[in-house]
Each structure stands twice: as structure tokens, then as C-alpha cells.
Amino acid sequence: VAIALVSVRAILPAQQTVPDYKNAKLTVERRVADLLARMTLEEKCAQLTSLWDTSATPVRQRIKDKNGRFSPALARQVLPHGLGQISRPGERQGPREEAEFTNAVQKFVVEHTRLGIPVTFHEEGLHGHMVPKGTHFPQAIALAGSWNPALVERVFTAVAREMRARGVHQVLAPVLDLGRDPRWGRIEETYGEDPYLVARIGAAAIRGFQGTGEFPGQDRVIATAKHYAVHGQPEAGVNVAPGNYSERIVREQFLYPFQVAVTEAKVASVMPSYNEWDGVPSHSSKLLIDRILRHEWGFRGLIVSDYFGITDLERLHHVAAGARQAAQLALETGVDLELPFTAEYGLLPQLVREGKVAEAAVDRAVARVLRAKFALGLFDAPYVDPAVAENVVNSAEHRTLARQAALEAITLLK
């Protein structure tokens, strides 16, 4: 008995040191709350930032060596507190190479940051995973022309499988803008001009990417409904120009596909648009993001910026006097994660310490980022198998599906 008691006493301290956030048996909300309570301000703010390692990336944010391979030495300088998300890791990489790169990043942050919070990766996927060797399906406008939501769901289920196999967790699709001005250079990204058709095809795409459950499975990714909102019929067809329409038109037409995406398809992420409505840029519109999206529709998911959308509050829309005010405006509006790399949100720790931004606002955003990571299962299974990636990507099954989609999308024009 004495020996047994000594053994139990030796085991109990080890068991008690496992934090709640690492306990897969607990609820997501409890794990999020536990982890958030353990984080420093720098660790919190790091989760709201991103990295895009390209030739255009500032040198101080690069984690690849001159040969394009992940560099732990650089990562120690760039990621001391972890990171929220990495943008488009598969550029110029095949399936195995991307899987190996995402695994290397995950291994570093899990083993060499204080709390071991995994990173998420996003890619583009309007008509397939937009990387070398990804299966390419018909463009969005053609898929809408199939009038076949079941086919569209199958297409994006295949795209999600290819992405997740390579270590990707979020896709910046589908586009739910109404394509109504042929001068606008993004018509092919849309599902057409009709709100009902866009809503039905968009919901099918979201189900394909995410599945139908609350949490994406190991072969699914988080979908991103974009661009919210009033983006597909801008003045003069210019991509960043205002959408000047009454609130009735906006709600009945432009917002309808997004409402269906949130309330029916349960989309997990939303991206604000570059433009403005009624004089207010989408990235700083509390009407669009807080009142309508969060409160009226009950959206609890993640809001990610469009590329450089927070910077545009200063440089394009001139509603912010500088980078500090742009960061404050976007965060307080409800934009959780800055893409494609850290700019304005890198200033958040300083702004909190100066009292310009409430730490509670940071906590709300961080909780959403962490919730998505727990929902994806990354704390329990952060790695992928490169061999599986090679077998799944551009498989014979997916090529057959792409051909079927192309045949059904053929449209005779008059």
C-alpha cells in the first residue's frame, strides 16, 4: 500500500500540470478561455497578425532561407510569440513540398514558443487550390451556369481535401458579390448577378469547403465569404470605388447571399470589402460588421481583412490619420486578423499600453482566432502526411469531377 501511495503521489503532479487548453476532452470554449488567460499581451497580439513570405515581404518578416526552405533561425527572430496565420504557403511548391513546409512551421511554433499555439495557413481557391498541381475546376461564373448546387458542393469538397492534405486550413472563397457591372474586373469570380442564385451556389460552396457540422473535419477547411459588402457594382466598375445604394437595396440584394451564408450555411469566416458604402469603408463599418453581421445575424466566426484593407483606411479612404489610427479603427470595428502580413496590427501592443486600444478588444479578437484553431483540431493534430498530399492532389477522381463540372458549365451565348 505504501508503495502504491508513493506511486500515485508521483503521478498526480504530472497530470495536474497539463493545462486545460491541451485537454481534447474539454469544450472549445473552455479551452479558449484557459489559453487566453495564460497569454501575455505580445502573445495575444501575435495571434492577430500574419506573414506572407514572398519577394515583396519585408525582410524582417521572412522565415525562408535563400533556397526557399523554412529556416528555424529566421523563425526565432520573426515568431518569438507565435503567429495567427501564414498567407499562401503553396506558391511555387508542389503537394509534398507544401506539406513539408507547413509541418516544419507547425513543429517550430509548437515546440519553440512558450504556449505552443499552432499556426493556420490560408490559400486562394475560387475554382481549385491555386497552387502548382492543384486540380483546376471551372471558374466561379461557369459553376453558377451549371445551376447545380449539388455538383458545386462536390467540387469544393474535392478542393478542401486537396488543401487540407497540404496543411492548409482556410480558403479565401467563395465570392458572394453580385456581378452587375461588366466593367468591374472581377465578374468571373462571382456566381452572377442574381441574389438568389448567388446565395444557393454560395451556400453549396461553403458546405463543400466546411462540411455541415459545427467543426470542419480533417479533410475540410474554413470558408471565407467575401467581399462584405456592396462590392460587385461599384462606381465606374472600379474595384475600390463606392457602392452608393439605399439601405433597402443593399439589404434585399447585396447582403442577401451573405445572410444565407451566415444563417444557413454557417460560414466560419467573413472578409470585408475594399470599397465603402454610404461613405464608410467596410473595414471600419460598425453598421455592417457589428450591427448587421454580429448582432442581427448572430455571426460568431472570424473576420479577416482583405489584403492591405486595413492599410487602405489610411492610404485610400483617408479615414485614418496614420497606421496607429487604422489599427484602432479596424480592431474596434471587429476585424480580427490582418492579412496578408503584419503592418498596422503590429502596433497593437503599443496602442494597448498607451490606452488607445482596450485590451478587452484584443481579447475578443484573439478568442475568435483561437476558437477557429481549436475547431480545426490543430492543437490535437497539427501535422499532415506529405505522402497523402501527393496521392490526393490532382487525383484521377478529382480530374474526372473537373471534366464533369466543365461539361455542365458549358453555356451557349447569344
Side-chain angles (χ1 to χ4, degrees):
V1 171
I3 292 173
L5 287 173
V6 170
S7 300
V8 168
R9 288 169 180 162
I11 292 170
L12 280 176
Q15 291 177 334
Q16 291 170 347
T17 59
V18 177
D20 282 355
Y21 79 90
K22 292 187 177 182
N23 187 346
K25 296 180 180 179
L26 299 179
T27 64
V28 166
E29 294 305 323
R30 182 167 171 181
R31 297 176 79 180
V32 168
D34 178 70
L35 179 53
L36 189 60
R38 298 171 184 272
M39 299 173 73
T40 66
L41 177 61
E42 281 75 17
E43 288 167 340
K44 291 176 183 178
C45 293
Q47 291 299 309
L48 309 184
T49 62
S50 62
L51 180 151
W52 187 19
D53 199 322
T54 70
S55 59
T57 305
V59 174
R60 65 182 182 278
Q61 294 190 33
R62 295 183 186 177
I63 57 173
K64 294 179 183 177
D65 61 24
K66 61 182 180 181
N67 297 315
R69 291 188 295 265
F70 174 73
S71 168
L74 291 175
R76 286 188 181 91
Q77 301 174 35
V78 178
L79 310 176
H81 306 294
L83 186 72
Q85 192 164 102
I86 288 181
S87 305
R88 298 167 68 172
E91 293 177 304
R92 299 179 296 280
Q93 294 195 83
R96 175 175 285 275
E97 291 76 17
E98 182 172 14
E100 290 173 345
F101 173 74
T102 57
N103 280 346
V105 174
Q106 297 292 35
K107 182 176 175 62
F108 176 84
V109 295
V110 168
E111 297 181 0
H112 297 285
T113 61
R114 189 176 71 91
L115 296 171
I117 302 173
V119 170
T120 52
F121 299 86
H122 79 251
E123 296 274 16
E124 298 284 1
L126 285 171
H127 61 104
H129 189 184
M130 199 183 77
V131 290
K133 298 189 178 180
T135 307
H136 282 212
F137 296 88
Q139 182 55 282
I141 194 73
L143 289 173
S146 72
W147 299 84
N148 190 342
L151 174 66
V152 171
E153 183 173 342
R154 288 177 60 203
V155 164
F156 289 111
T157 298
V159 177
R161 286 187 65 203
E162 294 196 3
M163 288 185 163
R164 197 63 188 269
R166 296 168 73 137
V168 176
H169 311 104
Q170 181 167 357
V171 57
L172 304 188
V175 169
L176 303 181
D177 301 320
L178 303 183
R180 291 185 164 181
D181 190 329
R183 297 173 297 178
W184 186 51
R186 308 183 72 167
I187 292 291
E188 85 285 352
E189 298 182 22
T190 76
Y191 295 127
E193 75 280 6
D194 181 79
Y196 183 78
L197 178 63
V198 172
R200 299 273 48 91
I201 300 295
I206 292 165
R207 288 194 300 270
F209 283 130
Q210 295 185 181
T212 56
E214 182 179 1
F215 304 117
Q218 289 298 312
D219 59 351
R220 305 285 180 143
V221 295
I222 287 176
T224 309
K226 64 182 192 182
H227 309 85
Y228 182 75
V230 201
H231 192 44
Q233 193 177 1
E235 284 190 350
V238 176
N239 190 47
V240 297
N244 290 321
Y245 304 97
S246 69
E247 185 170 349
R248 175 177 176 177
I249 293 297
V250 168
R251 284 182 176 271
E252 290 184 354
Q253 299 181 32
F254 292 98
L255 295 190
Y256 176 72
F258 290 94
Q259 184 175 5
V260 170
V262 171
T263 61
E264 178 186 317
K266 307 300 181 184
V267 70
S269 182
V270 171
M271 175 185 286
S273 56
Y274 283 128
N275 62 318
E276 62 184 52
W277 170 45
D278 199 22
V280 181
S282 297
H283 282 75
S284 63
S285 175
K286 291 187 177 181
L287 171 60
L288 282 175
I289 292 177
D290 188 57
R291 178 179 150 188
I292 296 176
L293 184 61
R294 294 282 188 202
H295 289 90
E296 292 187 19
W297 299 346
F299 179 68
R300 297 179 65 247
L302 181 67
I303 296 179
V304 300
S305 80
D306 205 341
Y307 279 22
F308 313 108
I310 298 175
T311 300
D312 284 348
L313 293 176
E314 172 196 358
R315 298 183 184 179
L316 174 67
H317 297 291
H318 306 292
V319 297
R324 291 161 55 87
Q325 190 176 16
Q328 179 183 354
L329 270 175
L331 185 72
E332 291 178 349
T333 298
V335 179
D336 303 313
L337 182 62
E338 181 179 21
L339 300 181
F341 53 70
T342 304
E344 281 69 22
Y345 275 13
L347 302 170
L348 287 176
Q350 178 184 352
L351 291 172
V352 171
R353 289 194 174 92
E354 293 176 357
K356 303 294 184 181
V357 169
E359 189 165 359
V362 171
D363 288 352
R364 283 193 297 271
V366 175
R368 294 174 189 137
V369 172
L370 296 178
R371 190 177 296 118
K373 293 184 176 185
F374 280 114
L376 286 158
L378 295 185
F379 285 83
D380 312 309
Y383 307 114
V384 295
D385 186 339
V388 171
E390 285 193 319
N391 290 331
V392 168
V393 172
N394 203 21
S395 65
E397 176 188 356
H398 290 177
R399 292 198 302 271
T400 299
L401 178 59
R403 179 180 175 84
Q404 179 187 348
L407 290 172
E408 293 201 29
I410 291 173
T411 303
L412 179 64
L413 302 179
K414 180 179 179 181

